[in-house]
PDB file of all heavy atoms in Angstrom:
ATOM      1  N   GLY M   1     106.575  81.274 109.218  1.00  0.00           N
ATOM      2  CA  GLY M   1     105.230  81.826 109.049  1.00  0.00           C
ATOM      3  C   GLY M   1     104.576  82.317 110.320  1.00  0.00           C
ATOM      4  O   GLY M   1     103.366  82.504 110.361  1.00  0.00           O
ATOM      5  N   ARG M   2     105.352  82.549 111.353  1.00  0.00           N
ATOM      6  CA  ARG M   2     104.800  83.024 112.626  1.00  0.00           C
ATOM      7  C   ARG M   2     105.329  84.417 112.936  1.00  0.00           C
ATOM      8  O   ARG M   2     106.222  84.908 112.279  1.00  0.00           O
ATOM      9  CB  ARG M   2     105.205  82.083 113.764  1.00  0.00           C
ATOM     10  CG  ARG M   2     104.750  80.653 113.588  1.00  0.00           C
ATOM     11  CD  ARG M   2     105.255  79.724 114.705  1.00  0.00           C
ATOM     12  NE  ARG M   2     106.715  79.646 114.699  1.00  0.00           N
ATOM     13  CZ  ARG M   2     107.508  80.027 115.707  1.00  0.00           C
ATOM     14  NH1 ARG M   2     106.994  80.497 116.815  1.00  0.00           N
ATOM     15  NH2 ARG M   2     108.813  79.928 115.619  1.00  0.00           N
ATOM     16  N   GLY M   3     104.796  85.037 113.966  1.00  0.00           N
ATOM     17  CA  GLY M   3     105.322  86.295 114.469  1.00  0.00           C
ATOM     18  C   GLY M   3     104.749  87.529 113.809  1.00  0.00           C
ATOM     19  O   GLY M   3     103.836  87.470 112.988  1.00  0.00           O
ATOM     20  N   PRO M   4     105.320  88.682 114.157  1.00  0.00           N
ATOM     21  CA  PRO M   4     104.755  89.957 113.723  1.00  0.00           C
ATOM     22  C   PRO M   4     104.945  90.279 112.239  1.00  0.00           C
ATOM     23  O   PRO M   4     104.127  90.990 111.668  1.00  0.00           O
ATOM     24  CB  PRO M   4     105.477  90.984 114.595  1.00  0.00           C
ATOM     25  CG  PRO M   4     106.761  90.324 114.978  1.00  0.00           C
ATOM     26  CD  PRO M   4     106.441  88.863 115.087  1.00  0.00           C
ATOM     27  N   LEU M   5     105.984  89.785 111.592  1.00  0.00           N
ATOM     28  CA  LEU M   5     106.199  90.137 110.184  1.00  0.00           C
ATOM     29  C   LEU M   5     105.126  89.561 109.266  1.00  0.00           C
ATOM     30  O   LEU M   5     104.512  90.312 108.491  1.00  0.00           O
ATOM     31  CB  LEU M   5     107.600  89.726 109.722  1.00  0.00           C
ATOM     32  CG  LEU M   5     108.752  90.452 110.412  1.00  0.00           C
ATOM     33  CD1 LEU M   5     110.092  89.900 109.947  1.00  0.00           C
ATOM     34  CD2 LEU M   5     108.674  91.939 110.190  1.00  0.00           C
ATOM     35  N   PRO M   6     104.819  88.259 109.324  1.00  0.00           N
ATOM     36  CA  PRO M   6     103.733  87.746 108.491  1.00  0.00           C
ATOM     37  C   PRO M   6     102.367  88.331 108.883  1.00  0.00           C
ATOM     38  O   PRO M   6     101.525  88.565 108.013  1.00  0.00           O
ATOM     39  CB  PRO M   6     103.757  86.237 108.715  1.00  0.00           C
ATOM     40  CG  PRO M   6     105.097  85.934 109.254  1.00  0.00           C
ATOM     41  CD  PRO M   6     105.536  87.166 109.977  1.00  0.00           C
ATOM     42  N   THR M   7     102.175  88.583 110.162  1.00  0.00           N
ATOM     43  CA  THR M   7     100.916  89.173 110.617  1.00  0.00           C
ATOM     44  C   THR M   7     100.745  90.567 110.026  1.00  0.00           C
ATOM     45  O   THR M   7      99.668  90.915 109.526  1.00  0.00           O
ATOM     46  CB  THR M   7     100.867  89.235 112.157  1.00  0.00           C
ATOM     47  OG1 THR M   7     101.013  87.913 112.674  1.00  0.00           O
ATOM     48  CG2 THR M   7      99.568  89.844 112.654  1.00  0.00           C
ATOM     49  N   ALA M   8     101.803  91.359 110.061  1.00  0.00           N
ATOM     50  CA  ALA M   8     101.746  92.701 109.486  1.00  0.00           C
ATOM     51  C   ALA M   8     101.526  92.637 107.982  1.00  0.00           C
ATOM     52  O   ALA M   8     100.722  93.394 107.437  1.00  0.00           O
ATOM     53  CB  ALA M   8     103.031  93.465 109.804  1.00  0.00           C
ATOM     54  N   ALA M   9     102.211  91.731 107.305  1.00  0.00           N
ATOM     55  CA  ALA M   9     102.043  91.597 105.859  1.00  0.00           C
ATOM     56  C   ALA M   9     100.611  91.200 105.520  1.00  0.00           C
ATOM     57  O   ALA M   9     100.032  91.709 104.558  1.00  0.00           O
ATOM     58  CB  ALA M   9     103.023  90.570 105.305  1.00  0.00           C
ATOM     59  N   GLY M  10     100.026  90.329 106.324  1.00  0.00           N
ATOM     60  CA  GLY M  10      98.649  89.907 106.099  1.00  0.00           C
ATOM     61  C   GLY M  10      97.645  91.026 106.301  1.00  0.00           C
ATOM     62  O   GLY M  10      96.553  91.009 105.735  1.00  0.00           O
ATOM     63  N   ALA M  11      98.021  92.017 107.104  1.00  0.00           N
ATOM     64  CA  ALA M  11      97.149  93.165 107.352  1.00  0.00           C
ATOM     65  C   ALA M  11      97.500  94.337 106.444  1.00  0.00           C
ATOM     66  O   ALA M  11      97.021  95.451 106.646  1.00  0.00           O
ATOM     67  CB  ALA M  11      97.267  93.594 108.818  1.00  0.00           C
ATOM     68  N   ALA M  12      98.357  94.081 105.447  1.00  0.00           N
ATOM     69  CA  ALA M  12      98.798  95.108 104.494  1.00  0.00           C
ATOM     70  C   ALA M  12      99.528  96.257 105.180  1.00  0.00           C
ATOM     71  O   ALA M  12      99.446  97.404 104.752  1.00  0.00           O
ATOM     72  CB  ALA M  12      97.633  95.624 103.661  1.00  0.00           C
ATOM     73  N   LEU M  13     100.258  95.947 106.257  1.00  0.00           N
ATOM     74  CA  LEU M  13     101.059  96.950 106.953  1.00  0.00           C
ATOM     75  C   LEU M  13     102.517  96.827 106.531  1.00  0.00           C
ATOM     76  O   LEU M  13     103.004  95.733 106.266  1.00  0.00           O
ATOM     77  CB  LEU M  13     100.967  96.752 108.472  1.00  0.00           C
ATOM     78  CG  LEU M  13      99.588  96.917 109.085  1.00  0.00           C
ATOM     79  CD1 LEU M  13      99.620  96.545 110.551  1.00  0.00           C
ATOM     80  CD2 LEU M  13      99.088  98.334 108.906  1.00  0.00           C
ATOM     81  N   ARG M  14     103.201  97.930 106.482  1.00  0.00           N
ATOM     82  CA  ARG M  14     104.625  97.938 106.170  1.00  0.00           C
ATOM     83  C   ARG M  14     105.393  97.990 107.487  1.00  0.00           C
ATOM     84  O   ARG M  14     105.093  98.808 108.359  1.00  0.00           O
ATOM     85  CB  ARG M  14     104.966  99.149 105.318  1.00  0.00           C
ATOM     86  CG  ARG M  14     106.422  99.192 104.923  1.00  0.00           C
ATOM     87  CD  ARG M  14     106.710 100.332 104.017  1.00  0.00           C
ATOM     88  NE  ARG M  14     106.230  99.962 102.695  1.00  0.00           N
ATOM     89  CZ  ARG M  14     106.338 100.735 101.639  1.00  0.00           C
ATOM     90  NH1 ARG M  14     106.881 101.919 101.748  1.00  0.00           N
ATOM     91  NH2 ARG M  14     105.900 100.328 100.476  1.00  0.00           N
ATOM     92  N   VAL M  15     106.388  97.138 107.627  1.00  0.00           N
ATOM     93  CA  VAL M  15     107.194  97.075 108.841  1.00  0.00           C
ATOM     94  C   VAL M  15     108.513  97.786 108.601  1.00  0.00           C
ATOM     95  O   VAL M  15     109.196  97.520 107.616  1.00  0.00           O
ATOM     96  CB  VAL M  15     107.454  95.608 109.251  1.00  0.00           C
ATOM     97  CG1 VAL M  15     108.374  95.545 110.461  1.00  0.00           C
ATOM     98  CG2 VAL M  15     106.144  94.894 109.531  1.00  0.00           C
ATOM     99  N   MET M  16     108.869  98.687 109.495  1.00  0.00           N
ATOM    100  CA  MET M  16     110.136  99.399 109.417  1.00  0.00           C
ATOM    101  C   MET M  16     110.969  99.004 110.633  1.00  0.00           C
ATOM    102  O   MET M  16     110.437  98.864 111.725  1.00  0.00           O
ATOM    103  CB  MET M  16     109.899 100.916 109.434  1.00  0.00           C
ATOM    104  CG  MET M  16     108.956 101.409 108.361  1.00  0.00           C
ATOM    105  SD  MET M  16     109.622 101.288 106.714  1.00  0.00           S
ATOM    106  CE  MET M  16     110.737 102.658 106.724  1.00  0.00           C
ATOM    107  N   ALA M  17     112.261  98.820 110.428  1.00  0.00           N
ATOM    108  CA  ALA M  17     113.152  98.464 111.534  1.00  0.00           C
ATOM    109  C   ALA M  17     114.467  99.205 111.371  1.00  0.00           C
ATOM    110  O   ALA M  17     114.846  99.591 110.269  1.00  0.00           O
ATOM    111  CB  ALA M  17     113.391  96.965 111.555  1.00  0.00           C
ATOM    112  N   SER M  18     115.145  99.377 112.471  1.00  0.00           N
ATOM    113  CA  SER M  18     116.439 100.029 112.430  1.00  0.00           C
ATOM    114  C   SER M  18     117.405  99.213 113.267  1.00  0.00           C
ATOM    115  O   SER M  18     117.231  99.058 114.466  1.00  0.00           O
ATOM    116  CB  SER M  18     116.322 101.455 112.989  1.00  0.00           C
ATOM    117  OG  SER M  18     117.593 102.055 113.027  1.00  0.00           O
ATOM    118  N   ALA M  19     118.407  98.667 112.607  1.00  0.00           N
ATOM    119  CA  ALA M  19     119.433  97.879 113.285  1.00  0.00           C
ATOM    120  C   ALA M  19     120.628  97.766 112.357  1.00  0.00           C
ATOM    121  O   ALA M  19     120.487  97.929 111.143  1.00  0.00           O
ATOM    122  CB  ALA M  19     118.903  96.490 113.644  1.00  0.00           C
ATOM    123  N   PRO M  20     121.800  97.438 112.867  1.00  0.00           N
ATOM    124  CA  PRO M  20     122.988  97.334 112.014  1.00  0.00           C
ATOM    125  C   PRO M  20     123.084  96.005 111.261  1.00  0.00           C
ATOM    126  O   PRO M  20     124.151  95.437 111.102  1.00  0.00           O
ATOM    127  CB  PRO M  20     124.138  97.494 113.004  1.00  0.00           C
ATOM    128  CG  PRO M  20     123.601  96.967 114.286  1.00  0.00           C
ATOM    129  CD  PRO M  20     122.135  97.360 114.275  1.00  0.00           C
ATOM    130  N   LEU M  21     121.974  95.485 110.762  1.00  0.00           N
ATOM    131  CA  LEU M  21     121.932  94.274 109.948  1.00  0.00           C
ATOM    132  C   LEU M  21     122.635  93.085 110.593  1.00  0.00           C
ATOM    133  O   LEU M  21     123.245  92.269 109.933  1.00  0.00           O
ATOM    134  CB  LEU M  21     122.512  94.543 108.551  1.00  0.00           C
ATOM    135  CG  LEU M  21     121.790  95.603 107.744  1.00  0.00           C
ATOM    136  CD1 LEU M  21     122.478  95.772 106.400  1.00  0.00           C
ATOM    137  CD2 LEU M  21     120.338  95.265 107.553  1.00  0.00           C
ATOM    138  N   HIS M  22     122.535  92.982 111.897  1.00  0.00           N
ATOM    139  CA  HIS M  22     123.084  91.847 112.657  1.00  0.00           C
ATOM    140  C   HIS M  22     124.537  91.577 112.262  1.00  0.00           C
ATOM    141  O   HIS M  22     124.921  90.470 111.885  1.00  0.00           O
ATOM    142  CB  HIS M  22     122.217  90.620 112.466  1.00  0.00           C
ATOM    143  CG  HIS M  22     122.461  89.527 113.460  1.00  0.00           C
ATOM    144  ND1 HIS M  22     123.365  89.599 114.473  1.00  0.00           N
ATOM    145  CD2 HIS M  22     121.894  88.303 113.581  1.00  0.00           C
ATOM    146  CE1 HIS M  22     123.358  88.483 115.165  1.00  0.00           C
ATOM    147  NE2 HIS M  22     122.457  87.680 114.646  1.00  0.00           N
ATOM    148  N   GLY M  23     125.334  92.617 112.298  1.00  0.00           N
ATOM    149  CA  GLY M  23     126.759  92.468 112.013  1.00  0.00           C
ATOM    150  C   GLY M  23     127.062  92.050 110.578  1.00  0.00           C
ATOM    151  O   GLY M  23     128.063  91.402 110.314  1.00  0.00           O
ATOM    152  N   GLY M  24     126.196  92.393 109.654  1.00  0.00           N
ATOM    153  CA  GLY M  24     126.406  92.037 108.259  1.00  0.00           C
ATOM    154  C   GLY M  24     125.900  90.662 107.882  1.00  0.00           C
ATOM    155  O   GLY M  24     125.999  90.253 106.736  1.00  0.00           O
ATOM    156  N   GLU M  25     125.331  89.933 108.831  1.00  0.00           N
ATOM    157  CA  GLU M  25     124.848  88.581 108.568  1.00  0.00           C
ATOM    158  C   GLU M  25     123.415  88.546 108.039  1.00  0.00           C
ATOM    159  O   GLU M  25     123.028  87.587 107.389  1.00  0.00           O
ATOM    160  CB  GLU M  25     124.912  87.736 109.845  1.00  0.00           C
ATOM    161  CG  GLU M  25     126.321  87.518 110.350  1.00  0.00           C
ATOM    162  CD  GLU M  25     126.341  86.758 111.659  1.00  0.00           C
ATOM    163  OE1 GLU M  25     125.344  86.099 112.003  1.00  0.00           O
ATOM    164  OE2 GLU M  25     127.366  86.833 112.354  1.00  0.00           O
ATOM    165  N   LEU M  26     122.644  89.579 108.288  1.00  0.00           N
ATOM    166  CA  LEU M  26     121.224  89.562 107.943  1.00  0.00           C
ATOM    167  C   LEU M  26     120.949  89.348 106.457  1.00  0.00           C
ATOM    168  O   LEU M  26     120.104  88.517 106.116  1.00  0.00           O
ATOM    169  CB  LEU M  26     120.532  90.829 108.432  1.00  0.00           C
ATOM    170  CG  LEU M  26     119.022  90.880 108.266  1.00  0.00           C
ATOM    171  CD1 LEU M  26     118.355  89.724 108.987  1.00  0.00           C
ATOM    172  CD2 LEU M  26     118.484  92.196 108.789  1.00  0.00           C
ATOM    173  N   PRO M  27     121.639  90.026 105.543  1.00  0.00           N
ATOM    174  CA  PRO M  27     121.318  89.790 104.124  1.00  0.00           C
ATOM    175  C   PRO M  27     121.439  88.324 103.712  1.00  0.00           C
ATOM    176  O   PRO M  27     120.643  87.835 102.923  1.00  0.00           O
ATOM    177  CB  PRO M  27     122.333  90.665 103.378  1.00  0.00           C
ATOM    178  CG  PRO M  27     122.605  91.785 104.334  1.00  0.00           C
ATOM    179  CD  PRO M  27     122.591  91.124 105.690  1.00  0.00           C
ATOM    180  N   GLY M  28     122.384  87.605 104.250  1.00  0.00           N
ATOM    181  CA  GLY M  28     122.543  86.198 103.918  1.00  0.00           C
ATOM    182  C   GLY M  28     121.500  85.300 104.553  1.00  0.00           C
ATOM    183  O   GLY M  28     121.313  84.159 104.134  1.00  0.00           O
ATOM    184  N   MET M  29     120.803  85.814 105.561  1.00  0.00           N
ATOM    185  CA  MET M  29     119.794  85.028 106.262  1.00  0.00           C
ATOM    186  C   MET M  29     118.416  85.155 105.615  1.00  0.00           C
ATOM    187  O   MET M  29     117.528  84.364 105.900  1.00  0.00           O
ATOM    188  CB  MET M  29     119.712  85.473 107.724  1.00  0.00           C
ATOM    189  CG  MET M  29     120.992  85.232 108.496  1.00  0.00           C
ATOM    190  SD  MET M  29     120.994  86.025 110.118  1.00  0.00           S
ATOM    191  CE  MET M  29     119.641  85.189 110.911  1.00  0.00           C
ATOM    192  N   VAL M  30     118.224  86.147 104.765  1.00  0.00           N
ATOM    193  CA  VAL M  30     116.917  86.397 104.163  1.00  0.00           C
ATOM    194  C   VAL M  30     116.788  85.584 102.876  1.00  0.00           C
ATOM    195  O   VAL M  30     117.485  85.836 101.908  1.00  0.00           O
ATOM    196  CB  VAL M  30     116.723  87.901 103.877  1.00  0.00           C
ATOM    197  CG1 VAL M  30     115.391  88.145 103.193  1.00  0.00           C
ATOM    198  CG2 VAL M  30     116.801  88.702 105.165  1.00  0.00           C
ATOM    199  N   ASP M  31     115.891  84.594 102.893  1.00  0.00           N
ATOM    200  CA  ASP M  31     115.643  83.824 101.676  1.00  0.00           C
ATOM    201  C   ASP M  31     114.487  84.469 100.901  1.00  0.00           C
ATOM    202  O   ASP M  31     113.899  85.456 101.335  1.00  0.00           O
ATOM    203  CB  ASP M  31     115.366  82.354 101.989  1.00  0.00           C
ATOM    204  CG  ASP M  31     114.092  82.137 102.796  1.00  0.00           C
ATOM    205  OD1 ASP M  31     113.320  83.090 103.004  1.00  0.00           O
ATOM    206  OD2 ASP M  31     113.866  80.991 103.215  1.00  0.00           O
ATOM    207  N   GLN M  32     114.178  83.931  99.740  1.00  0.00           N
ATOM    208  CA  GLN M  32     113.157  84.544  98.890  1.00  0.00           C
ATOM    209  C   GLN M  32     111.786  84.580  99.562  1.00  0.00           C
ATOM    210  O   GLN M  32     111.053  85.556  99.448  1.00  0.00           O
ATOM    211  CB  GLN M  32     113.055  83.805  97.549  1.00  0.00           C
ATOM    212  CG  GLN M  32     112.198  84.526  96.532  1.00  0.00           C
ATOM    213  CD  GLN M  32     112.785  85.879  96.138  1.00  0.00           C
ATOM    214  OE1 GLN M  32     113.961  85.978  95.829  1.00  0.00           O
ATOM    215  NE2 GLN M  32     111.971  86.919  96.169  1.00  0.00           N
ATOM    216  N   GLU M  33     111.431  83.530 100.296  1.00  0.00           N
ATOM    217  CA  GLU M  33     110.122  83.491 100.960  1.00  0.00           C
ATOM    218  C   GLU M  33     109.988  84.611 101.981  1.00  0.00           C
ATOM    219  O   GLU M  33     108.983  85.322 102.021  1.00  0.00           O
ATOM    220  CB  GLU M  33     109.913  82.137 101.622  1.00  0.00           C
ATOM    221  CG  GLU M  33     108.552  81.996 102.272  1.00  0.00           C
ATOM    222  CD  GLU M  33     108.354  80.633 102.919  1.00  0.00           C
ATOM    223  OE1 GLU M  33     109.258  79.776 102.849  1.00  0.00           O
ATOM    224  OE2 GLU M  33     107.284  80.430 103.489  1.00  0.00           O
ATOM    225  N   LEU M  34     111.018  84.770 102.820  1.00  0.00           N
ATOM    226  CA  LEU M  34     110.980  85.850 103.812  1.00  0.00           C
ATOM    227  C   LEU M  34     111.032  87.197 103.105  1.00  0.00           C
ATOM    228  O   LEU M  34     110.326  88.127 103.484  1.00  0.00           O
ATOM    229  CB  LEU M  34     112.137  85.720 104.797  1.00  0.00           C
ATOM    230  CG  LEU M  34     112.246  86.817 105.848  1.00  0.00           C
ATOM    231  CD1 LEU M  34     110.967  86.934 106.669  1.00  0.00           C
ATOM    232  CD2 LEU M  34     113.447  86.577 106.749  1.00  0.00           C
ATOM    233  N   ALA M  35     111.820  87.312 102.059  1.00  0.00           N
ATOM    234  CA  ALA M  35     111.917  88.560 101.315  1.00  0.00           C
ATOM    235  C   ALA M  35     110.552  88.947 100.745  1.00  0.00           C
ATOM    236  O   ALA M  35     110.179  90.117 100.761  1.00  0.00           O
ATOM    237  CB  ALA M  35     112.947  88.428 100.202  1.00  0.00           C
ATOM    238  N   ASP M  36     109.792  87.977 100.265  1.00  0.00           N
ATOM    239  CA  ASP M  36     108.466  88.264  99.731  1.00  0.00           C
ATOM    240  C   ASP M  36     107.509  88.742 100.809  1.00  0.00           C
ATOM    241  O   ASP M  36     106.591  89.515 100.537  1.00  0.00           O
ATOM    242  CB  ASP M  36     107.889  87.049  99.010  1.00  0.00           C
ATOM    243  CG  ASP M  36     108.571  86.795  97.678  1.00  0.00           C
ATOM    244  OD1 ASP M  36     109.152  87.747  97.106  1.00  0.00           O
ATOM    245  OD2 ASP M  36     108.524  85.654  97.204  1.00  0.00           O
ATOM    246  N   LEU M  37     107.703  88.289 102.050  1.00  0.00           N
ATOM    247  CA  LEU M  37     106.885  88.788 103.150  1.00  0.00           C
ATOM    248  C   LEU M  37     107.227  90.243 103.452  1.00  0.00           C
ATOM    249  O   LEU M  37     106.349  91.025 103.812  1.00  0.00           O
ATOM    250  CB  LEU M  37     107.113  87.954 104.418  1.00  0.00           C
ATOM    251  CG  LEU M  37     106.512  86.571 104.448  1.00  0.00           C
ATOM    252  CD1 LEU M  37     106.993  85.816 105.683  1.00  0.00           C
ATOM    253  CD2 LEU M  37     104.995  86.656 104.452  1.00  0.00           C
ATOM    254  N   ILE M  38     108.497  90.580 103.310  1.00  0.00           N
ATOM    255  CA  ILE M  38     108.932  91.935 103.628  1.00  0.00           C
ATOM    256  C   ILE M  38     108.493  92.908 102.541  1.00  0.00           C
ATOM    257  O   ILE M  38     107.892  93.937 102.819  1.00  0.00           O
ATOM    258  CB  ILE M  38     110.465  91.981 103.811  1.00  0.00           C
ATOM    259  CG1 ILE M  38     110.869  91.104 105.009  1.00  0.00           C
ATOM    260  CG2 ILE M  38     110.946  93.418 104.007  1.00  0.00           C
ATOM    261  CD1 ILE M  38     112.348  90.861 105.124  1.00  0.00           C
ATOM    262  N   ARG M  39     108.804  92.572 101.295  1.00  0.00           N
ATOM    263  CA  ARG M  39     108.397  93.440 100.190  1.00  0.00           C
ATOM    264  C   ARG M  39     108.464  92.656  98.881  1.00  0.00           C
ATOM    265  O   ARG M  39     109.542  92.460  98.327  1.00  0.00           O
ATOM    266  CB  ARG M  39     109.296  94.663 100.107  1.00  0.00           C
ATOM    267  CG  ARG M  39     108.818  95.676  99.091  1.00  0.00           C
ATOM    268  CD  ARG M  39     109.532  96.982  99.246  1.00  0.00           C
ATOM    269  NE  ARG M  39     109.109  97.887  98.209  1.00  0.00           N
ATOM    270  CZ  ARG M  39     109.792  98.936  97.828  1.00  0.00           C
ATOM    271  NH1 ARG M  39     110.924  99.208  98.408  1.00  0.00           N
ATOM    272  NH2 ARG M  39     109.346  99.699  96.874  1.00  0.00           N
ATOM    273  N   PRO M  40     107.334  92.192  98.413  1.00  0.00           N
ATOM    274  CA  PRO M  40     107.304  91.398  97.187  1.00  0.00           C
ATOM    275  C   PRO M  40     107.920  92.142  96.000  1.00  0.00           C
ATOM    276  O   PRO M  40     107.768  93.351  95.864  1.00  0.00           O
ATOM    277  CB  PRO M  40     105.816  91.156  96.943  1.00  0.00           C
ATOM    278  CG  PRO M  40     105.183  91.318  98.284  1.00  0.00           C
ATOM    279  CD  PRO M  40     106.001  92.367  98.979  1.00  0.00           C
ATOM    280  N   GLY M  41     108.641  91.385  95.183  1.00  0.00           N
ATOM    281  CA  GLY M  41     109.170  91.944  93.953  1.00  0.00           C
ATOM    282  C   GLY M  41     110.628  92.355  93.990  1.00  0.00           C
ATOM    283  O   GLY M  41     111.215  92.613  92.956  1.00  0.00           O
ATOM    284  N   LEU M  42     111.224  92.435  95.170  1.00  0.00           N
ATOM    285  CA  LEU M  42     112.633  92.788  95.267  1.00  0.00           C
ATOM    286  C   LEU M  42     113.454  91.560  95.627  1.00  0.00           C
ATOM    287  O   LEU M  42     112.971  90.673  96.324  1.00  0.00           O
ATOM    288  CB  LEU M  42     112.871  93.848  96.345  1.00  0.00           C
ATOM    289  CG  LEU M  42     112.362  95.253  96.066  1.00  0.00           C
ATOM    290  CD1 LEU M  42     112.679  96.167  97.240  1.00  0.00           C
ATOM    291  CD2 LEU M  42     112.978  95.819  94.802  1.00  0.00           C
ATOM    292  N   PRO M  43     114.715  91.506  95.195  1.00  0.00           N
ATOM    293  CA  PRO M  43     115.556  90.369  95.583  1.00  0.00           C
ATOM    294  C   PRO M  43     115.874  90.418  97.077  1.00  0.00           C
ATOM    295  O   PRO M  43     115.841  91.498  97.694  1.00  0.00           O
ATOM    296  CB  PRO M  43     116.819  90.553  94.739  1.00  0.00           C
ATOM    297  CG  PRO M  43     116.831  91.988  94.354  1.00  0.00           C
ATOM    298  CD  PRO M  43     115.395  92.426  94.310  1.00  0.00           C
ATOM    299  N   PRO M  44     116.171  89.279  97.693  1.00  0.00           N
ATOM    300  CA  PRO M  44     116.395  89.213  99.144  1.00  0.00           C
ATOM    301  C   PRO M  44     117.422  90.212  99.664  1.00  0.00           C
ATOM    302  O   PRO M  44     117.214  90.831 100.700  1.00  0.00           O
ATOM    303  CB  PRO M  44     116.854  87.773  99.368  1.00  0.00           C
ATOM    304  CG  PRO M  44     116.222  87.004  98.255  1.00  0.00           C
ATOM    305  CD  PRO M  44     116.222  87.952  97.082  1.00  0.00           C
TER     306      PRO M  44
END
């Protein structure tokens, strides 16, 4: 619950990033709670 992603979500801002998904590991690291911070309604 810290850092720029929850802060941006709280301000109704959309965060865009560009990276190679941390070598394919990123999708497995995103749980439902973090996914809801990124964009509610979509699966992680």
